[in-house]
Amino acid sequence: MVPKRNPEVVWRLEKGIHEMAWDKARKDEEYEDLGVLTLMVKGSIHQLNLVGAEIWTRINGINSVEKIAAEIGALFGWEAVEAHDAIIEFLKGIAERGWVEFSEKAAPASPKWKGH
Amino acid sequence: MLTHLASPVTVNWGITARCNFVCSHCFSRLDRSPELSGDDARRVVDILAAQGVMFLNYGTGEPLLRGDLFPLTEYAVGKGMKVTMNSNGSLIGPAAADRIREAGFHSVGISIDSADPGTHDGFRRMPGSFEKAVGAARLLRQRGIPLSVSSVVCRVNHRDFPALVSLAKELGAHTIDLHNFKCSGMGGLNKERLDLSPEEWKGFYEAAVPLRRSEKGIDIAFDDPILSLLGEEEQGKLVAGSVCGKLSLYIRPDGEITPCGFIPVTIGHILKDDFGKVWNDSKVLAHLRTKAAAGKCGGCAKFSSCLGGCTARAYAVHGAWDAPDPHCWLGD
């Protein structure tokens, strides 16, 4: 299963705050309440914390849920099953909001142009 | 979630103070400041793009009076910004609508204050302006350009909004912004004639909020912090109280930065000061982000959600950031 971002969602990583959250995470300090990534959807504004931001930035229509879960698990030191379940739950939540949709196959990663 | 943004999400930019209308409520009609040159305007875009500003909204005067509007917009869009504008629609014919589409505008807001042409024309003090605004809206939609309808709620139209919402839907608008009247600029001069009493504002919102819930196919936006008095939190708003200085900033035609267009207090200059420092270190912005309950707000259970309501209105009427919103109907 491959998640793909809704192109109508406008987003950015919060410069400085992203780095601050990682600094806290590495020091085992609380980072979960920091808004690291800001999204604007149909006039509504939302924020994701560090984990949400790291998942969001890996959603590209190519990476599968399994690949994202493996990377996030490795980043935060989670067990594979724990990471997979957490990512699935997160993705379901944002899919219900219409921020992502799922497809069975990844979009082609190769260039669409042809050389002459 | 702790919400301090690295930079504003939206910058409202008065790229020109010139306008071909003289509306009774306009906050900027008395603004005589010169506008930035084309080169300086591109520098503004560079600065905002580098800071990660997501949305750039042209307002203040009539943006289409600015000769370099389209190349400037293409430049900003090329930098990854979503560019929108508010226009009275009078200068949007087929050719301008084509250029608006080509330039890559994310959405265009057309000012329509009433579904009744006479009421709109009277408020805008421009005969025939309703017809032009509606015509502009249709031209934009014919080209697939996302449209919003922008209205200023005041004495002349506060009971007519259902028809206005229907018109906006018929025109294909994705959103109708029912802006509350602000007593800044010409609005300050015409406050007695145009503003509603607090009880009338309450009546307006009590009637309009249910319509927002029931209406399908169009978003009805109010962007008024005193909505929380009705227990009606703006969904996805992220911050309590006014968004000015928390999610957005305003740049005047001459480059001066203010918290919002309705607050005529300069906190820096976009080309002379470090924009990031202004956003992070301005004492005025710090105050707006941490307002204290003053006057009747003291002890009010709603203060934590409304933060004293609209700071621009409070400042315009009372000259103090922490003063209660003059539209607030509680505790009078």
Side-chain angles (χ1 to χ4, degrees):
Chain A
M1 207 163 55
V2 177
K4 183 183 172 190
R5 290 186 208 125
N6 177 344
E8 290 184 12
V9 177
V10 183
W11 61 277
R12 74 176 183 201
L13 272 172
E14 292 299 323
K15 283 183 193 167
I17 300 171
H18 184 218
E19 293 78 2
M20 183 198 302
W22 263 120
D23 190 48
K24 285 178 176 289
R26 289 188 190 102
K27 292 175 181 166
D28 265 345
E29 296 173 4
E30 289 198 5
Y31 62 85
E32 290 85 351
D33 279 349
L34 284 172
V36 164
L37 187 143
T38 303
L39 309 99
M40 189 73 122
V41 192
K42 289 186 178 173
S44 293
I45 186 166
H46 308 269
Q47 285 201 307
L48 300 179
N49 67 11
L50 182 61
V51 176
E54 294 296 347
I55 298 171
W56 179 263
T57 51
R58 284 167 172 75
I59 298 172
N60 58 5
I62 297 169
N63 291 336
S64 66
V65 170
E66 289 69 26
K67 184 171 192 292
I68 294 171
E71 289 185 6
I72 296 299
L75 265 182
F76 292 95
W78 296 347
E79 297 293 329
V81 173
E82 179 192 10
H84 187 267
D85 290 351
I87 273 66
I88 288 284
E89 188 181 354
F90 175 82
L91 289 173
K92 274 186 183 170
I94 62 174
E96 281 170 14
R97 292 169 175 242
W99 300 358
V100 293
E101 57 182 31
F102 295 99
S103 62
E104 290 304 315
K105 284 199 303 187
S110 57
K112 289 178 180 169
W113 67 86
K114 289 190 166 71
H116 293 286
Chain B
M1 195 77 71
L2 301 177
T3 52
H4 178 74
L5 301 173
S7 65
V9 168
T10 299
V11 166
N12 296 300
W13 184 12
I15 53 171
T16 183
R18 291 177 286 144
C19 191
N20 53 343
F21 281 23
V22 195
C23 304
S24 325
H25 68 290
C26 182
F27 75 96
S28 64
R29 201 77 295 272
L30 306 174
D31 187 343
R32 296 284 178 266
S33 60
E35 64 196 43
L36 298 173
S37 69
D39 285 345
D40 281 345
R42 288 163 77 96
R43 285 177 59 208
V44 171
V45 170
D46 289 340
I47 291 165
L48 299 180
Q51 291 287 331
V53 171
M54 299 156 91
F55 292 89
L56 186 57
N57 179 55
Y58 306 141
T60 308
E62 171 52 46
L64 284 145
L65 284 173
R66 184 155 172 137
D68 61 352
L69 174 75
F70 296 123
L72 183 64
T73 300
E74 284 159 353
Y75 187 67
V77 171
K79 295 261 176 186
M81 302 174 84
K82 306 291 182 192
V83 182
T84 60
M85 71 170 157
N86 295 324
S87 167
N88 59 36
S90 66
L91 302 174
I92 301 179
D98 285 344
R99 285 296 287 127
I100 288 169
R101 184 192 57 206
E102 290 160 8
F105 273 93
H106 185 66
S107 180
V108 175
I110 297 294
S111 297
I112 303 177
D113 299 297
S114 172
D116 173 60
T119 302
H120 173 91
D121 289 2
F123 183 57
R124 295 275 158 183
R125 297 165 70 187
M126 186 62 70
S129 57
F130 176 85
E131 194 177 331
K132 287 182 177 174
V134 167
R138 293 196 199 287
L139 288 171
L140 295 170
R141 288 305 300 136
Q142 283 164 10
R143 285 153 181 79
I145 300 161
L147 169 76
S148 63
V149 166
S150 187
S151 315
V152 176
V153 176
C154 63
R155 181 151 308 285
V156 304
N157 62 0
H158 69 108
R159 293 194 178 91
D160 303 339
F161 62 88
L164 189 55
V165 172
S166 296
L167 173 64
K169 268 181 82 170
E170 187 258 310
L171 291 172
H174 57 78
T175 302
I176 179 166
D177 291 295
L178 296 177
H179 299 292
N180 51 86
F181 174 82
K182 305 277 198 321
C183 36
S184 300
M186 294 281 282
L189 300 178
N190 292 307
K191 180 180 185 317
E192 295 304 314
R193 184 165 63 85
L194 293 175
D195 204 359
L196 306 181
S197 69
E199 279 304 312
E200 287 172 317
W201 280 111
K202 182 184 181 194
F204 166 72
Y205 282 122
E206 283 178 338
V209 165
L211 187 67
R212 173 165 76 173
R213 290 200 202 96
S214 62
E215 198 62 59
K216 305 294 178 205
I218 190 167
D219 289 330
I220 303 176
F222 300 110
D223 192 21
D224 190 339
I226 63 168
L227 264 182
S228 59
L229 302 188
L230 295 175
E232 186 73 15
E233 305 300 338
E234 292 274 19
Q235 284 195 343
K237 194 178 158 200
L238 201 65
V239 297
S242 293
V243 300
C244 312
K246 299 170 194 160
L247 302 181
S248 63
L249 283 180
Y250 174 69
I251 301 175
R252 285 163 40 109
D254 61 2
E256 301 279 359
I257 305 168
T258 69
C260 88
F262 303 103
I263 298 177
V265 175
T266 299
I267 56 174
H269 190 284
I270 185 67
L271 298 177
K272 297 173 186 165
D273 298 304
D274 181 320
F275 186 74
K277 276 195 151 201
V278 171
W279 177 253
N280 288 311
D281 299 343
S282 161
K283 287 180 180 167
V284 170
L285 295 186
H287 197 139
L288 298 187
R289 292 164 185 159
T290 55
K291 283 169 66 176
K296 70 177 186 179
C297 295
C300 177
K302 295 289 185 183
F303 182 78
S304 62
S305 57
C306 78
L307 285 190
C310 173
T311 307
R313 286 196 295 255
Y315 191 79
V317 171
H318 303 293
W321 304 122
D322 294 332
D325 184 336
H327 285 183
C328 173
W329 54 82
L330 294 181
D332 285 325

